[in-house]
Amino acid sequence: MSKYTEFFRPERIYIEADVKNTTMVKRILDRFPNADVHYTEDANLVIDQATEQAHSEWQNTLLLAKQRGPFLRLCPGTQKHVCCLYYNLDIAAGCDLGCSYCILQGYLNNPLITVYANHDDMYTELDRALLDHPNRFYRIGTGELSDSLTFDHFLGIGADLVRYFADKPNAIIELKSKNVHVEDLLTVEHKGRTVVSWSMNARQITEQDEGIAPSIDDRLLAAQQVQQAGYRLGFHFDPMIWFDGWKEEYRETVDKIFKVIKPENIAWISLGALRYPAMLDDVIRENHPNSDIVLGELLPGRDKKLRYFLPQRIEMFSHMYKWIKSYSADVFIYLCMENKNVWEKSFSWTPKNSAHLKTLLDQQVL
């Protein structure tokens, strides 16, 4: 039985004046006809009010706002680390799942779940980028500031993006999630231009530190449905967390994946160890007092983020690499935010640089 028994259903919706006539706003209002709807000239006024008041008073509130910055941004990566040169598409901010390690707790100044509803501007921006650079291949994802699918049961953005990218020869969209809202994706013509990915972890971490996220088994049931619909899949073990019994439990998750997913349908698997800015330590302790993740030996790395000791990270990565490769020598595995030394000691090879890693990942979906 899944612990994920409730979907986010807004009881109160704030709509910024600039987006009130957009297709996305009309779609959401049609799906929640009984919601308490308010209009505002400036979304920041609502954000400021929510910031000053108790979080519980705003828990079931949705903000529909205009994205005033760019939708599409190159991932900033980490200095002196190998980066995959991924692009983020910021269509929403915030998440309902409540994972203890979530970077959004300290990264976002906005406590409200926010959807940027000016999608005509987004598609215009995407058209311009893809047409102006026909020889550049874009791997684009929507999972940096929110979970790609957690609100898709009422937004339907996933299917919209699948349709848009289906005929784009120089781009793919990756929908990265812990959630299981894949129904709308199953009947859309994707033409191989979408990768649907799941964030995975050890069973203990999923149960204790991933809030109301669906179980690993439920995520894999959704992945099977997507596989049957012909999509390529990705899996992201990030963050991997060190605890007594981590080897057995991460191995168990790897075994479960390959029991139901064919290796040839996997575009990539990424690995990354727990890391976060020092300021997030107190936030995690306050928001998740029962979590053990802050009790590990974490020290500032070159990027100033708290990280496990180098030998611990290498041990985790090397074991995962061996377990995955035991099922298929062809599955592409890469590290997120690690330097070439860690790559070499974990995998016995390393990309030459970030551009080389980008090329290797692009080749998986070309």
Side-chain angles (χ1 to χ4, degrees), residues 35-54:
D36 182 16
V37 177
H38 303 263
Y39 292 89
T40 179
E41 289 298 316
D42 186 350
N44 289 317
L45 298 176
V46 182
I47 293 170
D48 290 343
Q49 187 179 353
T51 302
E52 293 171 0
Q53 296 179 357

Side-chain angles (χ1 to χ4, degrees), residues 249-301:
E249 292 208 16
Y250 279 108
R251 177 65 189 265
E252 176 186 279
T253 302
V254 171
D255 292 342
K256 284 186 173 185
I257 289 172
F258 285 96
K259 184 176 288 186
V260 296
I261 303 300
K262 297 176 181 177
E264 59 267 28
N265 294 334
I266 298 175
W268 44 62
I269 296 177
S270 75
L271 309 177
L274 179 67
R275 61 200 177 277
Y276 54 83
M279 51 78 65
L280 195 62
D281 197 76
D282 288 338
V283 176
I284 294 173
R285 292 174 189 273
E286 181 178 348
N287 292 348
H288 304 276
N290 297 321
S291 175
D292 294 334
I293 66 170
V294 293
L295 303 181
E297 292 190 78
L298 298 160
L299 295 174

Side-chain angles (χ1 to χ4, degrees), residues 206-366:
T206 299
E207 293 173 354
Q208 295 181 6
D209 287 281
E210 292 191 345
I212 61 167
S215 68
I216 293 299
D217 290 340
D218 285 346
R219 293 176 214 182
L220 286 174
L221 284 173
Q224 284 180 272
Q225 292 179 285
V226 166
Q227 176 177 243
Q228 290 167 0
Y231 287 90
R232 301 292 303 281
L233 287 88
F235 295 100
H236 299 279
F237 286 86
D238 192 358
M240 292 185 66
I241 294 172
W242 185 283
F243 62 94
D244 288 342
W246 68 266
K247 288 182 184 178
E248 293 77 12
E249 292 208 16
Y250 279 108
R251 177 65 189 265
E252 176 186 279
T253 302
V254 171
D255 292 342
K256 284 186 173 185
I257 289 172
F258 285 96
K259 184 176 288 186
V260 296
I261 303 300
K262 297 176 181 177
E264 59 267 28
N265 294 334
I266 298 175
W268 44 62
I269 296 177
S270 75
L271 309 177
L274 179 67
R275 61 200 177 277
Y276 54 83
M279 51 78 65
L280 195 62
D281 197 76
D282 288 338
V283 176
I284 294 173
R285 292 174 189 273
E286 181 178 348
N287 292 348
H288 304 276
N290 297 321
S291 175
D292 294 334
I293 66 170
V294 293
L295 303 181
E297 292 190 78
L298 298 160
L299 295 174
R302 282 198 242 176
D303 56 359
K304 308 302 182 187
K305 291 180 180 178
L306 298 181
R307 292 172 173 263
Y308 293 127
F309 285 113
L310 183 67
Q312 286 181 285
R313 302 193 328 258
I314 291 170
E315 184 176 357
M316 286 195 292
F317 298 152
S318 60
H319 276 86
M320 285 291 287
Y321 189 82
K322 178 180 66 176
W323 296 331
I324 294 166
K325 290 294 186 179
S326 72
Y327 282 98
S328 172
D330 296 327
V331 171
F332 188 78
I333 309 169
Y334 69 101
L335 293 176
C336 187
M337 295 190 185
E338 289 290 356
N339 60 47
K340 293 171 72 173
N341 177 49
V342 177
W343 277 80
E344 186 64 48
K345 290 185 176 179
S346 301
F347 294 176
S348 298
W349 74 277
T350 182
K352 298 173 185 175
N353 48 39
S354 295
H356 182 211
L357 177 58
K358 177 191 183 318
T359 298
L360 293 173
L361 283 162
D362 292 351
Q363 289 171 350
Q364 308 307 310
V365 287
L366 284 173

Side-chain angles (χ1 to χ4, degrees), residues 95-135:
C95 185
D96 63 331
L97 298 180
C99 300
S100 67
Y101 51 75
C102 182
I103 193 71
L104 299 181
Q105 296 172 95
Y107 185 70
L108 294 180
N109 296 320
N110 177 3
L112 297 177
I113 290 172
T114 301
V115 173
Y116 301 114
N118 51 320
H119 284 189
D120 286 347
D121 294 336
M122 177 185 74
Y123 289 119
T124 297
E125 184 180 338
L126 284 168
D127 284 343
R128 187 180 304 117
L130 300 184
L131 290 172
D132 286 353
H133 305 282
N135 296 321

